[in-house]
Amino acid sequence: MLIDVRVMDARMAGQLPAYATPGSAGLDLRACLDEPVLLAPNAWQLVPTGLAIHLRDPGYAALILPRSGLGHKHGIVLGNLVGLIDSDYQGQLMVSAWNRSDVAYTLQPMERLAQLVIVPVVQAQFRVVDDFDHATERGAGGYGSTGKA
Ligand SMILES: O=c1ccn([C@H]2C[C@H](O)[C@@H](COP(=O)(O)OP(=O)(O)OP(=O)(O)O)O2)c(=O)[nH]1
């Protein structure tokens, strides 16, 4: 799949997204910052990535996800938990960096902050019905309804 990418910050010119290994699902996104940014405990900040993409095809979206190392070791995850990038979005990709830990963390310029995953999506149509025409085993059960004796 070919995706149009715009370099929004000159520092990203030589740092286009690339899969680290043949099996990688995610592309690292960097913190395109002029200077280090201190993220206090439970603070969050919108961080530019220096890149814009245009997926074009409504059959795809991109997800911004945390990097597991940064999240697990330092508590740096996403303020919106998951970032959803629409296929018609053309602005700069932004990362909401949230320090969910109780220790301050300093984000360094060009540090790999999050990752981008391209996923297929389905745009559904909806029709209104009075009742569903096929009863299922689950029905309206949820929230731990299965596996009870
Ligand atoms: O982590 C994120 C999440 C979103 N976006 C961009 C791409 C996305 O297509 C656009 C809108 O995101 P979303 O639909 O989640 O935002 P909203 O709060 O619902 O605002 P809008 O009314 O603009 O859709 O913002 C990012 O750059 N990073």
Side-chain angles (χ1 to χ4, degrees), residues 83-141:
L84 176 60
I85 313 303
D86 300 287
S87 68
D88 54 358
Y89 180 70
Q90 297 182 317
Q92 183 168 185
L93 296 173
M94 304 293 289
V95 174
S96 173
W98 171 34
N99 181 2
R100 63 161 179 80
S101 80
D102 52 11
V103 180
Y105 183 83
T106 304
L107 272 179
Q108 298 297 335
M110 308 318 284
E111 173 171 359
R112 290 177 300 153
L113 175 59
Q115 55 186 328
L116 186 78
V117 179
I118 312 296
V119 293
V121 295
V122 174
Q123 280 190 339
Q125 277 113 50
F126 295 88
R127 59 175 178 169
V128 177
V129 294
D130 291 330
D131 203 355
F132 298 118
D133 60 10
H134 175 78
T136 65
E137 185 177 329
R138 174 177 291 277

